[in-house]
Each structure stands twice: as structure tokens, then as C-alpha cells.
Amino acid sequence: MQSLMRKDLEKIQTDLEKYDSIREKMLEVSRLATRLSDMAIIMMHRGDLKKAKDTLLQAENSLREIERFLKGNPELRKSGNVVVAYQEYTEAKLLYHIIQEGKLPSLKKIGVESTPYILGLLDFIGELRRMTLNFLRKGRAVEAEKLLNLMENIYEDLISLNHAAIIPMFRRKADIARKIVETTRGDVVTEIRRMSLEKAIRGLEKKVKEK
């Protein structure tokens, strides 16, 4: 029985080695992009928006490098590290625009595909909870309520999408997001009631003193 020609085996081996090299480089860049996006989120929570913006630009450059790798190897777009890189970048950009502009940026403005945008939005609900709790601690109930409304709207819009469940991790992330929204709603309602009660007590004490 005839076996493969040696020159064909050599070509196949060369192609495989080239593919593996590209895959390794892309994974390295993907991890870098993810790490930079995570760092940018931390910087934003610390109030250092300038550093966060610069770090996001670095993450964006890493994603451009990934795109160059993907041109010749589009099947790698579905690999876990690549999906996470775009997803984390989306989450960081969403947070940056909310802090800077007070509104969600569009899919076009983020510059990613639908899948990482959806998954990034679901994770972003957790960042909104963090901001909501910060507002509650400062006694800023109005701002906290606005963020809660945004969380609820994002969640409701995403679960209303047909066929979204075909996206890997969508159901798990949606379940987590739902629990976060419900818990945050309870926190906001409880704090608003507490603040209202304190206000009523102060008003009553003032009336008693005036008599």
C-alpha cells in the first residue's frame, strides 16, 4: 500500500509548526489584551481615568495584533483566550464611557463583534453593581437608582434576544447577571427605605424641639 510522499509530509509538518507558532503568539497577545483591560477597570475604580484611557489604548493595539493573526487563521477567533480578550475589552470600554459620558456606547463605537459585546454587557452588570453600592455608601440614592435601572434594562434587553442562548456562556452569565440585579435591587430598596426613615425621624425630632 502506498504511503504519503515524503515531500508532502515535510510540507504538512512545516504548515503545522507555522500554525502552532501563530497560535502561541496569538494566545500570548490575547492574554496581554485581557490583562490590560482588567488593569484599566481597576484604574477606573480608583478614579485614574487618564491611566485607564492609556491602558485601554494599549489593549486596543493588542486586539489589532490579534486581528492580523486571524486574517490567515479565522478559525482561531472562537478560541477561549481570544473570546475573553474581546469580552474583557468590551467590559472595560463600557465602564469608561459610563463614567465619562453617563451612557452606554454603541456596538459600533466599541468596535467588536456581537458575541463579545453581549458577553461583555452581561459581565458589565457586575461593575454597575459595584458603582451602585459606592453611591449608596455615599448616600447618593438617586444615582444608585439610575444605575439599577440601567442594570435592569441591559439584562431585560439581552434576554429578549432570540437565539442568544446559542452563544457559549450566555446562559451562565445571564443567570449570574439576573442574581446580581435582584440582589442590587434589594440593596437599593432597603437603603432608600432606611434613608426615608432617618429623614422622617429627623423631621419628627425637629418638630418636637420646636414645641
Side-chain angles (χ1 to χ4, degrees):
M1 184 178 293
Q2 186 177 354
S3 60
L4 291 172
M5 296 179 66
R6 180 168 293 279
K7 66 177 182 180
D8 287 341
L9 281 173
E10 290 174 352
K11 183 181 185 309
I12 291 169
Q13 185 62 59
T14 299
D15 289 345
L16 287 173
E17 289 174 358
K18 182 180 178 182
Y19 181 83
D20 187 59
S21 176
I22 290 173
R23 185 183 65 86
E24 286 296 325
K25 289 177 182 176
M26 195 187 67
L27 290 178
E28 183 180 340
V29 177
S30 298
R31 293 188 189 104
L32 174 61
T34 300
R35 189 163 62 251
L36 288 168
S37 296
D38 290 342
M39 288 170 58
I41 289 174
I42 292 170
M43 291 170 186
M44 281 182 263
H45 284 301
R46 290 176 178 172
D48 197 339
L49 293 182
K50 185 181 183 306
K51 279 188 179 179
K53 183 179 180 181
D54 293 340
T55 305
L56 275 174
L57 287 174
Q58 294 177 48
E60 191 174 324
N61 289 334
S62 295
L63 294 182
R64 289 200 186 105
E65 192 173 348
I66 291 173
E67 288 296 329
R68 289 194 290 271
F69 287 128
L70 292 174
K71 282 182 180 178
N73 305 275
E75 70 279 2
L76 291 174
R77 186 176 293 278
K78 302 297 182 182
S79 66
N81 283 279
V82 173
V83 172
V84 170
Y86 281 93
Q87 178 185 310
E88 293 295 317
Y89 173 75
T90 299
E91 184 180 358
K93 286 286 283 187
L94 289 166
L95 181 60
Y96 183 80
H97 281 280
I98 280 291
I99 293 173
Q100 282 287 76
E101 303 170 6
K103 62 181 181 179
L104 286 177
S106 65
L107 176 61
K108 183 178 180 181
K109 195 162 189 175
I110 295 290
V112 298
E113 294 184 347
S114 295
T115 294
Y117 186 70
I118 290 171
L119 296 178
L121 276 167
L122 287 171
D123 284 344
F124 178 58
I125 287 175
E127 295 299 328
L128 288 175
R129 170 174 169 76
R130 186 172 177 177
M131 292 177 68
T132 301
L133 293 178
N134 284 336
F135 279 133
L136 289 178
R137 278 193 288 269
K138 296 174 182 177
R140 296 166 65 179
V142 174
E143 290 94 333
E145 274 193 288
K146 286 180 180 178
L147 288 182
L148 173 61
N149 289 335
L150 178 58
M151 292 169 68
E152 292 174 329
N153 291 339
I154 291 172
Y155 174 74
E156 289 168 5
D157 285 344
L158 292 180
I159 63 170
S160 72
L161 293 170
N162 292 325
H163 315 300
I166 65 175
I167 298 173
M169 298 297 290
F170 177 84
R171 285 187 175 178
R172 179 175 175 276
K173 287 182 180 292
D175 286 343
I176 293 171
R178 175 179 54 79
K179 291 175 184 177
I180 290 173
V181 171
E182 289 173 353
T183 302
T184 306
R185 186 186 302 120
D187 292 334
V188 171
V189 170
T190 299
E191 184 62 16
I192 288 175
R193 286 176 178 170
R194 187 191 66 78
M195 292 171 68
S196 297
L197 181 59
E198 282 188 354
K199 184 178 179 181
I201 291 172
R202 287 196 300 269
L204 182 60
E205 288 175 344
K206 184 178 180 181
K207 287 181 180 179
V208 171
K209 288 179 180 178
E210 288 174 350
K211 287 183 178 180

